[in-house]
Amino acid sequence: MSEISEHKILFGWEEIKKSLLTCIWFMFLTFPIMVIQVNTIHRTVEWRWERLFFVGAGAFLLSFLWRYMIRRKEAGIKREETAQNTHQDLLQRLLSNPRFSRPALAVAVLFFLTFPLVFSLYQIDIMTTALIYVVVALGLNIVVGLAGLLDLGYVAFFAVGAYTYALLNVHFQLGFWICLPIGGALGFLFGVLLGFPVLRLRGDYLAIVTLGFGEIIRLVLENWNEFSFGPSGIANIPRPGFMGMDLALHQNHTYIYYLMVGLTVFTIFVVRRLQDSRIGRAWTALREDEIACQAMGINKTRTKLSAFAIGATWAGMGGVVFAAKTTFINPASFTIWESVIILCCVVLGGMGSIIGVVAGALVLKLLPEYFRAFSEYRMLVFGTVLVLMMVFRPSGLISSVRRVYRFEGRNKLEGQP
Amino acid sequence: MKAVLTVTQLTKTFGGLHALDGVDLTIGRNEIVALIGPNGAGKTTLFNCLTGVYIPTGGSVEITSPEGHTTRLNGLKPDKVTSLGMARTFQNIRLFQNMTVLENVMIGRHCRMHAGIPGAILRNARTRREEKAVIDDSYRILENFQLDRYVNEFAKNLPYGAQRRLEIARAMATEPFLLLLDEPAAGMNAQETKDLDDLIVRLRNKEEISILLIEHDMKLVTSLSDRIFVVDYGRKIAEGTPAEVCCNPVVIKAYLGEEIDA
Ligand SMILES: Nc1ncnc2c1ncn2[C@@H]1O[C@H](COP(=O)(O)OP(=O)(O)O)[C@@H](O)[C@H]1O
Ligand SMILES: [Mg+2]
C-alpha cells in the first residue's frame, strides 16, 4: 500500500461525514441540558445557543480524532500481520539496543541509589510505596501476564503478608527479617489453598471467584476480632531493625527505601529467570492454549498452582514490607480497589513484560502523588486512560517480546522468509 | 506383530448420542494405520478418548511401550498419556500462537525435562545443561521438518502448511512411539500434501514409530497406510488393507450415503 492511498483512508470524506453525523446527533441529544435553561426565579427560559456550537465542535473533533486513531491502528495491525516477531516499535527497539539500554540502565541505577540523598523524606516515602507496588505487580504479572489467569483477589495475599508480620510481631515479638520469608511462604501456601478450588475455571469466571476470595479474606480480617483485632487494625508495628540498632526516623525511612530497592532487584532477577525457564514456558503455553498445553505433557494442575503460588509469594513479601513501612495496618488497606490498581499496573505496563510492569507500577503510583491537585478527577482520568489503552495499545506501554535465539553458522537464512 | 495400541469395545456417549459405539482397534509396531469415515463419524472423538481429553464411557485403551510395558489409559490425564509415549496433533491447528516456532517445540520437550522451580531460579549446572540440550534438540527437530528458517518467528505468522508441519514437529518433540494425526492434510494444496506424505513415511522409517491418522484425502491414505479402519456413526464398519477397503460395498455405501445427504 502506498503512502498516498493510506492517507486517503485516514482522512477520507467518508470519515468526515461520519464524524459530522456523530456531531449532529450529539448536539441533538445534549440540547435539553446544555442549551435550554429554565430560570425558576424569573420564570423565564434562557436559550444558550453559543453552547450548541461548542458541543458540536467538540463532538466533531473528538469523533474525528477517535476515527483517525482507529484507522491508524488498523493500518498498523495490517502491517504487523505480515511482519515477523522481530518487528518492534520504537520503544522496544531502543530498549533492545545495548547502545541505548546500557546507559539507560546505568542512569536508572544511579537515580535509585542516590534518590534518598537528593530528595526529601516525603519523596522517599512515596518512592518506597511505589517500589512495593512494583514488586507486588511483578508477582501478579506471573499469574496474569505469563499464565493468563485473571486474578482479581490478588490483594488477599498482600494482606496475608502484612498480617503475618503484624501478628507474629504482636504475639511472638518476631522481627522483620524472620517474618519476611515467613510472609512469602504463607503467601505461597495461601496461593496453593486458594488456587485449588479455582483450577477448573478460566477467564471471567476465574476473575469473579478470585474477587470473591479476596473479599472473604478481607471480611475475615475485619470480623474475626480475636484473631486480627478487627477493623481497628494493628498499630505500632516496628520498622525493620538494622543489625539490632535503633535508627532515627529519617535513617529508618532511607533504610526501608534501600531495602525495597534491593527486594525489587531481587524480584526482577528471579522473575526473569523463571520466565526464561522450563516452568516459565509452561506458564505461557498454558495461557496460549490449555488443551494443546496438556497434550504436550504439561501437568495443568501443577502449572496453574505454581503460577498462583509463586505470584502470591511476592505479594506476601510485599505485604510484610508494607506493614513494616506504614507501622499500622487494618483491613481497609486491602480492598478490592488495591487489587484493581495492581492489575492496572500489569495491564497498563504490558502484560508479561518485566520492564513494562515496572514502568506501569511506577507511573500508576507516582503520578497520582505528584498530581494531587487533580485528585478529584483521578478516577475520571484513570478510566479514560484505561479505555484508551485498551483500544489503542492493548499490549501495554512496553509490550513483551519473546526471546530470540541465535544459531550462529547454522541459521543460513537468518529467519527472513 | 506386537500391538502398541489395543482398543477394545470403546464407547463414548454425549447425552443420548453414541459418538463411539463399541470400537475395537489395534495398531502394530511401526505401522501406519488410517482412520477414515464421513464427517461426524466419531474419529476425533476416538482421538480424544485415547489421549485423555474425554473420559470414555466404556471399554478400554491400552498401550504397550517398545520396552514392553503395558499401561491402561482409561481415565489418565492428557499430560500423563503424552509422557507415556502417545502424542497427537489437532484437527483445528492448536499451536501456541504468540510463542516462537522454537519455543513451540521446546514446550514439546517439557515432559522429557526435569528442572523445577529451584532449578529455574538458581540456574545450576544441571539446569543450564538441560536448557542448552533442549534448545539444540529443538533446533535439530526444526531442521528435520524444514522449519529452521522460521526459528524466531511467531507461530501464528507461519504459512498454513508450515503450521501443520510445526504441529507434527511439536508432537514429535515429546518422543512418542505412537503418533496420532488428526486430518494433517486438511486445507493443504497438492504440493504440500505430497511433502506431508514423504514426511510421514520418513518419520515412520527413521523414528520407528507407529502412526494413526485421520484423513479424507483417499490418495494420501491409500499410498501411506498399511491398514485402514472405517468408522461410521461411531461404529467400525470395515477394516483391512487399502485395496480391500476401497472395494468394500459397506464402505462405498457409507460414503455415497453421505454424499447424497450433503
Ligand atoms: N464435546 C462434545 N459434546 C457433544 N457432542 C459431541 C462432542 N464432541 C463430538 N460430539 C459429537 O460426536 C459426533 C462425532 O464427532 P467427531 O468425532 O468430531 O466427528 P469426526 O469423525 O468428523 O471427527 C458428532 O455428532 C459430534 O457432534
Ligand atoms: Mg474430526
Side-chain angles (χ1 to χ4, degrees):
Chain A
M1 199 189 297
S2 73
E3 278 299 297
I4 300 164
S5 64
E6 207 165 273
H7 273 268
K8 236 188 224 154
I9 293 180
L10 294 182
F11 294 107
W13 174 237
E14 212 35 39
E15 294 302 296
I16 295 179
K17 237 175 19 192
K18 277 186 192 153
S19 296
L20 218 56
L21 212 67
T22 313
C23 142
I24 292 170
W25 187 226
F26 230 80
M27 289 198 290
F28 173 72
L29 278 181
T30 54
F31 186 80
I33 39 171
M34 295 304 287
V35 178
I36 306 172
Q37 189 179 40
V38 180
N39 192 328
T40 43
I41 299 167
H42 298 286
R43 291 174 172 274
T44 51
V45 176
E46 290 169 26
W47 300 87
R48 299 168 300 177
W49 292 110
E50 74 285 355
R51 286 191 169 203
L52 195 65
F53 170 75
F54 290 126
V55 167
F60 179 78
L61 278 178
L62 280 179
S63 149
F64 190 77
L65 195 71
W66 178 261
R67 276 168 202 291
Y68 171 72
M69 305 261 277
I70 294 266
R71 281 287 166 156
R72 252 189 51 171
K73 181 182 152 229
E74 277 166 2
I77 288 173
K78 248 186 225 132
R79 239 176 288 130
E80 225 165 79
E81 266 169 8
T82 49
Q84 51 167 339
N85 178 25
T86 42
H87 167 92
Q88 294 160 0
D89 58 32
L90 184 71
L91 207 57
Q92 280 169 340
R93 266 207 305 275
L94 275 179
L95 286 172
S96 58
N97 179 356
R99 290 239 313 272
F100 172 82
S101 65
R102 291 238 176 85
L105 187 68
V107 168
V109 168
L110 206 67
F111 173 78
F112 281 104
L113 285 184
T114 54
F115 191 87
L117 310 176
V118 181
F119 292 94
S120 70
L121 193 64
Y122 173 67
Q123 310 281 352
I124 297 173
D125 246 15
I126 291 175
M127 192 49 103
T128 311
T129 312
L131 286 177
I132 293 179
Y133 273 79
V134 167
V135 167
V136 175
L138 280 171
L140 184 64
N141 181 42
I142 293 178
V143 187
V144 180
L146 295 185
L149 307 165
L150 185 50
D151 181 357
L152 281 182
Y154 189 65
V155 78
F157 307 122
F158 194 52
V160 166
Y163 270 87
T164 302
Y165 178 41
L167 289 174
L168 285 180
N169 189 272
V170 167
H171 295 301
F172 306 104
Q173 285 77 46
L174 289 187
F176 171 83
W177 286 106
I178 304 168
C179 288
L180 189 61
I182 297 180
L186 278 180
F188 187 93
L189 188 72
F190 270 77
V192 173
L193 285 181
L194 296 193
F196 252 114
V198 298
L199 276 175
R200 292 163 173 279
L201 305 175
R202 244 186 298 177
D204 15 10
Y205 298 102
L206 178 69
I208 288 170
V209 174
T210 49
L211 189 151
F213 276 150
E215 282 300 279
I216 289 172
I217 298 251
R218 189 180 63 80
L219 287 172
V220 167
L221 290 175
E222 202 147 277
N223 294 298
W224 192 2
N225 288 337
E226 298 76 34
F227 173 72
S228 65
F229 302 96
S232 52
I234 302 167
N236 294 327
I237 303 167
R239 294 197 172 86
F242 182 64
M243 304 201 210
M245 280 188 289
D246 276 334
L247 300 173
L249 189 69
H250 190 280
Q251 283 174 321
N252 214 311
H253 282 246
T254 315
Y255 178 50
I256 297 187
Y257 169 82
Y258 280 120
L259 192 153
M260 250 347 276
V261 172
L263 190 60
T264 309
V265 171
F266 176 66
T267 309
I268 293 175
F269 174 79
V270 172
V271 173
R272 263 184 72 127
R273 287 200 154 183
L274 280 173
Q275 194 171 16
D276 194 22
S277 73
R278 172 174 178 258
I279 187 88
R281 284 192 299 270
W283 286 336
T284 317
L286 192 74
R287 176 192 74 195
E288 290 293 309
D289 190 324
E290 234 175 65
I291 291 177
C293 180
Q294 283 186 288
M296 289 299 104
I298 294 172
N299 184 327
K300 187 175 89 175
T301 312
R302 211 192 286 162
T303 307
K304 269 194 185 179
L305 277 185
S306 66
F308 241 88
I310 292 180
T313 307
W314 297 111
M317 292 207 279
V320 172
V321 182
F322 176 76
K325 176 188 166 284
T326 55
T327 71
F328 167 74
I329 54 166
N330 67 350
S333 322
F334 309 105
T335 56
I336 165 84
W337 178 236
E338 295 303 314
S339 287
V340 172
I341 298 251
I342 300 168
L343 187 66
C344 286
C345 298
V346 176
V347 175
L348 277 183
M351 284 206 268
S353 145
I354 291 179
I355 182 160
V357 171
V358 172
L362 287 177
V363 165
L364 275 189
K365 280 321 274 187
L366 293 181
L367 284 192
E369 295 294 343
Y370 291 112
F371 290 96
R372 277 207 175 272
F374 305 103
S375 61
E376 269 179 63
Y377 304 104
R378 192 181 288 181
M379 292 297 169
L380 193 68
V381 173
F382 210 72
T384 315
V385 169
L386 264 187
V387 170
L388 288 178
M389 285 292 289
M390 287 295 103
V391 174
F392 296 110
R393 220 182 149 86
S395 52
L397 286 176
I398 305 169
S399 54
S400 67
V401 275
R402 304 304 307 172
R403 191 171 151 193
V404 171
Y405 294 86
R406 293 268 160 242
F407 297 90
E408 287 86 12
R410 289 200 281 170
N411 201 356
K412 299 137 248 164
L413 284 155
E414 298 298 334
Q416 300 269 320
Chain B
M1 187 167 51
K2 265 189 25 213
V4 290
L5 174 75
T6 317
V7 179
T8 35
Q9 288 299 307
L10 194 70
T11 306
K12 176 72 191 176
T13 54
F14 296 109
L17 177 79
H18 291 265
L20 289 176
D21 199 355
V23 175
D24 291 313
L25 190 141
T26 54
I27 297 172
R29 240 181 110 44
N30 217 3
E31 206 182 13
I32 297 183
V33 176
L35 185 65
I36 63 171
N39 275 327
K43 304 180 297 293
T44 301
T45 306
L46 177 68
F47 269 27
N48 284 337
C49 287
L50 297 185
T51 53
V53 177
Y54 294 156
I55 297 167
T57 318
S60 87
V61 180
E62 281 176 354
I63 56 169
T64 308
S65 70
E67 294 83 44
H69 304 295
T70 301
T71 322
R72 200 179 134 95
L73 296 183
N74 297 46
L76 290 187
K77 290 266 163 54
D79 52 281
K80 188 73 186 132
V81 172
T82 304
S83 61
L84 282 172
M86 178 153 81
R88 71 172 290 184
T89 65
F90 296 88
Q91 184 173 346
N92 320 306
I93 301 178
R94 280 180 172 266
L95 288 170
F96 305 116
Q97 303 274 351
N98 292 308
M99 296 175 87
T100 63
V101 168
L102 187 75
E103 282 174 322
N104 267 273
V105 178
M106 284 166 84
I107 293 281
R109 302 291 304 150
H110 183 97
C111 59
R112 305 293 169 222
M113 296 167 72
H114 306 282
I117 293 165
I121 297 172
L122 300 175
R123 221 171 255 191
N124 47 3
R126 228 184 81 199
T127 313
R128 279 201 307 267
R129 226 178 305 128
E130 190 183 66
E131 195 73 2
K132 189 173 172 324
V134 162
I135 295 172
D136 286 346
D137 290 349
S138 305
Y139 188 77
R140 210 161 314 120
I141 294 173
L142 286 179
E143 277 180 328
N144 275 341
F145 282 81
Q146 277 122 47
L147 288 166
D148 46 316
R149 59 182 182 148
Y150 299 120
V151 194
N152 289 313
E153 199 98 9
F154 276 138
K156 64 178 174 194
N157 293 340
L158 256 55
Y160 188 77
Q163 293 200 12
R164 285 253 178 234
R165 247 182 310 150
L166 177 57
E167 239 203 342
I168 303 176
R170 192 181 65 171
M172 284 309 295
T174 66
E175 296 178 3
F177 59 85
L178 173 59
L179 181 63
L180 311 184
L181 304 173
D182 197 343
E183 305 200 12
M188 282 190 173
N189 61 30
Q191 182 56 43
E192 285 172 330
T193 310
K194 175 84 189 46
D195 292 345
L196 182 76
D197 191 337
D198 297 342
L199 178 74
I200 294 177
V201 171
R202 197 154 49 87
L203 273 185
R204 187 255 295 266
N205 295 341
K206 242 177 70 183
E207 318 279 343
E208 305 211 320
I209 58 170
S210 316
I211 296 172
L212 173 63
L213 86 157
I214 298 176
E215 192 44 70
H216 286 301
D217 186 330
M218 281 315 285
K219 212 173 122 239
L220 183 68
V221 166
T222 40
S223 87
L224 267 181
S225 41
D226 303 315
R227 277 184 306 138
I228 298 179
F229 282 84
V230 191
V231 288
D232 195 14
Y233 293 110
R235 287 208 187 82
K236 182 172 79 182
I237 57 170
E239 91 173 85
T241 62
E244 286 165 9
V245 165
C246 286
C247 329
N248 190 324
V250 184
V251 178
I252 294 167
K253 187 163 163 269
Y255 270 88
L256 286 182
E258 200 215 8
E259 261 170 44
I260 290 162
D261 280 347

